[in-house]
Amino acid sequence: MSAKVVMEGRGRDVAVVGTGMAGLVTAYLLHHDRQQRFRVHLLDKSPQISLTAESIATASTHRGTVWADVPMRAFAGGYYHNLLRMYDHLGICYQPQPFVFGFSRRLAHQAHAVEPYMIHASNFHQTPPIPRGHFVRWIWEVIYVLFCYWWFVLCCFFVRPLVFGNSEGESFDHYLRRNYLPLYYIDSYLLPMISSVCTCSHVQLRRFPASDIIAYKRLIHRQPHFVVPDGVYTVQEKLLRGLDVRLGVETMGVLPTSQGVQLTLRGPTGVYTQLFDLVVLAVSPDVAAAIFSPARPSLQEVPTTTVQTVAHTDFSNVVAPLQDRSALHPGPGSPQMICFCTNGLVTEAIHAQPNGILITTNPLTSIDPTTIIRSAVFTRVLRTPASQGVLREIFREDGPTDAGSKRDVLVDELARWRNGDDGVYLAGGWCWDGMVLLEGCVVSAMRVATDLGVAIPWI
């Protein structure tokens, strides 16, 4: 390589906007480029790193502070292939974590009444407790649920989601109805479980592309769940080493110019502009659309919602399995309890942490304010067959196509912005063709690095 090329490479300034998992991994990969061609500047409007901004320090050990992740970040083998390889590369300690899932429903005619109806162990690792006085009913419920569960599993492995004439895939709702999954099983088990993974309402989940959920289920089937016992704060620390980080700096505009990409920034000293060679927007699609006009027509088609997560110690409205606080301090590797409580439209998920803290996502009832340790509202990116097609176009991913479809003609006429055009990239859990989870964060960061010729050290 000539000296001129080396000097040009060393002069490339890259702004990575956003300090969630996608932003941190992107910055890490570019900063550790073997040829040292990039100067990485990590920016975030928050005064704290976003990945663990709401996490809670719970204890101190000889290894350092132990953190409770808010929201919970458990991950399953099979689906999180790249996340696990990155953790191995970084030397992150993670361990298998079995769960016990409790299912219950809110009774409409009583304000705080809850009716438990099933307890299930992840991957059937143990026999669930039998409720007293309801043995016969429980046996029939178990038989019914097992039959429906294996019905759904067989569908996932042997019935492909459809692709319609307009090149859009089948929705999850259409897939369930086409395969005649029983309505009671869908409303009482399937939707509460999966909507808690996606942190969205049942209606929103039904609109997801069936291909997302079917692929997810196929890959995690019979696979163990994992957690980072000390919290993702340990991941954050390793990804941040050596990086130039500027917090409390809001990106207000992204403008491609002939000299590079100009960012309009607002910091403690006021509004100013700064020129970069490349910019990576590791933010939600609504934020990216607001500040980067070339991608706005496409990103406005990607739906989002908000999700509330509360860390607290209010046991007054929780279901019976969580009332016994002595059971909430298991040893390492012991099962942890997650209770799903549905009202038919939304499912509240309550995760009992080993330290006795409850983390409730999408709370259905009020929580005593005096017991709240941390409360946060997150933007959640949703999926639909239409937005799936839009994102496939942006990221140049292969998907079901129909050369004669009206949508392809419309795309050609609009000449949509594509990832990397104008020196601007997108990264995030939503920036790939799959469930909006941590794996998407890692994959999208790897895509940016690969496009810039940076080797991925864990491949």
Side-chain angles (χ1 to χ4, degrees):
M1 182 179 292
S2 68
K4 181 179 178 181
V5 173
V6 172
M7 290 303 294
E8 288 178 351
R10 288 184 183 278
R12 303 190 77 182
D13 286 294
V14 183
V16 179
V17 181
T19 57
M21 180 67 86
L24 296 185
V25 177
T26 303
Y28 175 89
L29 288 172
L30 300 185
H31 178 70
H32 289 86
D33 172 40
R34 293 171 184 171
Q35 300 177 50
Q36 294 294 295
R37 292 168 293 175
F38 306 98
R39 290 193 296 265
V40 182
H41 310 268
L42 195 55
L43 313 175
D44 201 306
K45 69 177 182 179
S46 172
Q48 303 177 70
I49 300 297
S50 297
L51 180 62
T52 60
E54 307 303 334
S55 296
I56 303 168
T58 61
S60 297
T61 69
H62 65 283
R63 295 181 298 178
T65 304
V66 178
W67 294 79
D69 292 331
V70 180
M72 181 183 71
R73 292 184 174 90
F75 49 97
Y79 195 78
Y80 293 83
H81 180 63
N82 291 286
L83 180 74
L84 286 169
R85 290 201 297 184
M86 183 186 75
Y87 281 0
D88 290 338
H89 167 75
L90 295 174
I92 300 298
C93 174
Y94 57 90
Q95 65 185 29
Q97 179 58 65
F99 291 97
V100 174
F101 303 116
F103 292 86
S104 61
R105 59 176 63 89
R106 294 280 176 188
L107 301 180
H109 57 282
Q110 301 179 44
H112 298 292
V114 177
E115 178 190 36
Y117 54 88
M118 179 58 67
I119 295 180
H120 163 64
S122 61
N123 290 326
F124 305 100
H125 69 265
Q126 69 180 54
T127 302
I130 302 174
R132 296 179 181 178
H134 301 281
F135 178 75
V136 174
R137 178 182 173 185
W138 180 84
I139 287 293
W140 280 113
E141 183 89 1
V142 168
I143 293 172
Y144 173 83
V145 172
L146 286 175
F147 174 77
C148 295
Y149 170 76
W150 286 109
W151 185 346
F152 177 63
V153 169
L154 290 173
C155 289
C156 290
F157 279 91
F158 296 104
V159 183
R160 283 181 168 273
L162 298 175
V163 178
F164 299 111
N166 61 354
S167 297
E168 289 186 0
E170 183 177 24
S171 71
F172 188 47
D173 179 63
H174 190 277
Y175 183 88
L176 294 175
R177 289 187 286 109
R178 180 165 66 91
N179 288 286
Y180 301 101
L181 268 294
L183 185 61
Y184 175 77
Y185 174 73
I186 292 172
D187 289 340
S188 300
Y189 293 95
L190 196 57
L191 295 183
M193 176 73 80
I194 302 177
S195 69
S196 296
V197 174
C198 300
T199 53
C200 64
S201 72
H202 295 187
V203 171
Q204 292 164 339
L205 178 61
R206 285 177 178 272
R207 295 172 182 159
F208 271 50
S211 58
D212 282 11
I213 297 164
I214 302 312
Y216 177 76
K217 174 56 185 172
R218 290 180 64 174
L219 289 171
I220 71 166
H221 183 64
R222 305 294 293 163
Q223 294 291 323
H225 293 85
F226 297 96
V227 294
V228 177
D230 296 332
V232 293
Y233 191 86
T234 58
V235 182
Q236 175 178 294
E237 284 187 314
K238 294 197 175 185
L239 291 174
L240 280 173
R241 286 177 185 169
L243 287 173
D244 169 34
V245 182
R246 282 184 269 171
L247 300 177
V249 176
E250 181 181 4
T251 302
M252 302 177 64
V254 181
L255 179 64
T257 72
S258 59
Q259 302 300 315
V261 184
Q262 177 181 287
L263 295 189
T264 301
L265 305 170
R266 180 166 58 195
T269 60
V271 178
Y272 60 98
T273 61
Q274 187 170 350
L275 201 64
F276 296 90
D277 295 289
L278 300 167
V279 170
V280 181
L281 299 178
V283 294
S284 59
D286 55 327
V287 173
I291 62 178
F292 182 51
S293 58
R296 188 173 300 150
S298 297
L299 296 184
Q300 285 178 336
E301 299 183 42
V302 182
T304 62
T305 188
T306 55
V307 178
Q308 184 183 21
T309 299
V310 183
H312 62 98
T313 56
D314 184 358
F315 288 77
S316 61
N317 292 325
V318 298
V319 293
L322 293 177
Q323 295 289 354
D324 182 9
R325 302 194 192 190
S326 63
L328 302 182
H329 299 274
S334 299
Q336 293 182 12
M337 172 69 74
I338 300 180
C339 288
F340 303 116
C341 186
T342 181
N343 63 4
L345 300 174
V346 178
T347 294
E348 168 190 77
I350 306 174
H351 176 210
Q353 294 276 339
N355 46 44
I357 297 174
L358 301 179
I359 297 180
T360 300
T361 303
N362 284 328
L364 293 178
T365 57
S366 59
I367 297 171
D368 181 358
T370 63
T371 68
I372 294 177
I373 304 169
R374 190 71 47 83
S375 179
V377 175
F378 300 92
T379 297
R380 183 62 164 170
V381 182
L382 304 173
R383 297 269 290 174
T384 66
S387 69
Q388 179 185 41
V390 168
L391 293 177
R392 280 173 171 166
E393 293 157 8
I394 289 176
F395 297 104
R396 301 176 175 88
E397 293 188 332
D398 294 331
T401 58
D402 179 352
S405 71
K406 294 181 180 179
R407 180 171 182 79
D408 288 335
V409 174
L410 179 62
V411 169
D412 290 338
E413 291 176 352
L414 291 176
R416 291 180 184 266
W417 176 88
R418 303 293 183 92
N419 196 45
D421 290 353
D422 306 315
V424 179
Y425 291 85
L426 299 174
W430 57 278
C431 297
W432 75 320
D433 193 17
M435 299 273 274
V436 185
L437 300 170
L438 287 180
E439 180 70 3
C441 295
V442 178
V443 170
S444 64
M446 292 168 60
R447 179 193 287 123
V448 173
T450 300
D451 197 63
L452 295 175
V454 177
I456 310 299
W458 51 81
I459 292 182

